[in-house]
Amino acid sequence: MKKIKLVFAILALAAGVSGAVAANRPSTTVASTTSSTDVLHDWIDWNNQLVLTNATQAQAQTLCSGNFNICLRAKDNTNIYTVGELPAR
């Protein structure tokens, strides 16, 4: 009986370790090779007026000052945004 418990304990340990290793492996999908900051978007302000076209998030961020307010939003996905205040034009 003790040998069977030992075998199951070893199998459980092996399954746990292999699961942890698999969970920590980096993904090899194509989507993971492109950072979301490298994707081009059209950028709008809070009045839905187009401010910038075909720019990355980093490029759009250069138009905003360093405050913590949301400055510009991606037109195709408003969950992608820059921080700061849009300078007076």
Side-chain angles (χ1 to χ4, degrees):
M1 189 68 159
K2 288 184 180 183
K3 290 180 184 180
I4 292 175
K5 286 184 181 180
L6 180 61
V7 169
F8 280 117
I10 292 172
L11 289 175
L13 177 67
V17 169
S18 63
V21 169
N24 288 329
R25 267 188 85 147
S27 176
T28 58
T29 61
V30 175
S32 69
T33 61
T34 303
S35 172
S36 63
T37 58
D38 296 336
V39 178
L40 298 178
H41 300 283
D42 291 338
W43 295 89
I44 56 175
D45 61 10
W46 283 98
N47 296 326
N48 291 329
Q49 293 185 3
L50 186 63
V51 176
L52 187 63
T53 59
N54 292 329
T56 64
Q57 187 175 14
Q59 291 168 328
Q61 181 61 50
T62 61
L63 293 177
C64 301
S65 63
N67 294 335
F68 293 110
N69 300 327
I70 295 175
C71 175
L72 298 174
R73 299 176 294 158
K75 188 175 182 179
D76 58 337
N77 184 351
T78 55
N79 292 326
I80 301 172
Y81 55 87
T82 61
V83 293
E85 293 180 354
L86 192 62
R89 297 186 231 177

